[in-house]
């Protein structure tokens, strides 16, 4: 019980999620981590995660309920934006893994079938003999 009272006394604001020193360390580690992820993957979601983690730092500076409500609303909006951006990033990643069929295989099959039709009587292939004068 005394530990909880000592921890609560360290909080500057009743809206702050943790003691100031620990919160600053958390925000610094989150910033470095999500910047590293962004530099490696170049995804917008990592920047949004960085903003989500660091937005709570405002609560260490301002302890009024209006600021806490504004930060809470911003957090909700950022989570909604994060959900949409992450969904779009996953869709684009799936699309890049499975490129759409451009129809070239179908064209190759059609050309092969047409060549077989032309050469059905056993004579030489017309397409391959198109420039037979050059062979002489």
């Amino acid at each position: 019980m005394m530990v909880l009272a000592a921890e609560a006394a360290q909080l500057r604001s009743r809206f702050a999620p943790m003691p100031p020193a620990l919160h600053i360390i958390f925000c610094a580690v989150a910033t470095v981590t999500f910047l590293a992820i962004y530099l490696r993957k170049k995804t917008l979601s990592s920047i949004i995660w960085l903003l989500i983690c660091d937005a709570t730092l405002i609560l260490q500076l301002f302890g009024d309920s209006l600021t806490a409500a504004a930060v809470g609303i911003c957090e909700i909006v950022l989570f909604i934006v994060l959900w949409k951006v992450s969904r779009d990033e996953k869709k684009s990643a799936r699309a890049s893994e499975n490129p759409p069929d451009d129809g070239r295989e179908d064209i190759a099959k059609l050309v092969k079938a047409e060549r077989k039709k032309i050469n059905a009587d056993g004579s030489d292939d017309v397409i391959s003999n198109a420039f037979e004068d050059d062979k002489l």
Side-chain angles (χ1 to χ4, degrees):
M1 189 67 152
M2 291 297 285
V3 174
L4 290 176
E7 292 288 325
Q10 288 183 351
L11 295 176
R12 286 189 184 165
S13 167
R14 64 183 182 151
F15 301 111
M18 55 186 79
L22 186 60
H23 195 187
I24 291 170
I25 291 170
F26 166 76
C27 289
V29 169
T31 300
V32 169
T33 301
F34 288 117
L35 276 177
I37 292 170
Y38 173 75
L39 292 174
R40 195 183 71 171
K41 292 186 176 183
K42 302 287 188 220
T43 57
L44 181 59
S45 60
S46 56
I47 296 296
I48 296 171
W49 270 116
L50 184 142
L51 293 173
I52 289 171
C53 291
D54 289 347
T56 58
L57 196 57
I58 296 170
L59 297 175
Q60 293 293 345
L61 304 173
F62 303 99
D64 60 305
S65 59
L66 184 62
T67 303
V71 169
I73 291 169
C74 287
E75 293 278 327
I76 291 169
V77 169
L78 284 171
F79 273 114
I80 292 169
V81 170
L82 175 67
W83 176 72
K84 289 182 179 184
V85 167
S86 294
R87 185 185 62 192
D88 292 343
E89 287 175 352
K90 287 179 184 177
K91 282 182 184 178
S92 66
R94 273 191 239 123
S96 67
E97 288 175 4
N98 301 324
D101 183 24
D102 58 0
R104 291 182 187 173
E105 292 87 16
D106 293 339
I107 293 171
K109 288 178 185 177
L110 286 172
V111 169
K112 187 175 180 180
E114 288 300 318
R115 283 185 182 219
K116 283 183 181 179
K117 285 180 188 176
I118 292 171
N119 197 15
D121 61 353
S123 64
D124 287 330
D125 186 15
V126 174
I127 295 173
S128 60
N129 291 328
F131 300 103
E132 62 185 18
D133 295 340
D134 293 342
K135 294 180 185 177
L136 297 176

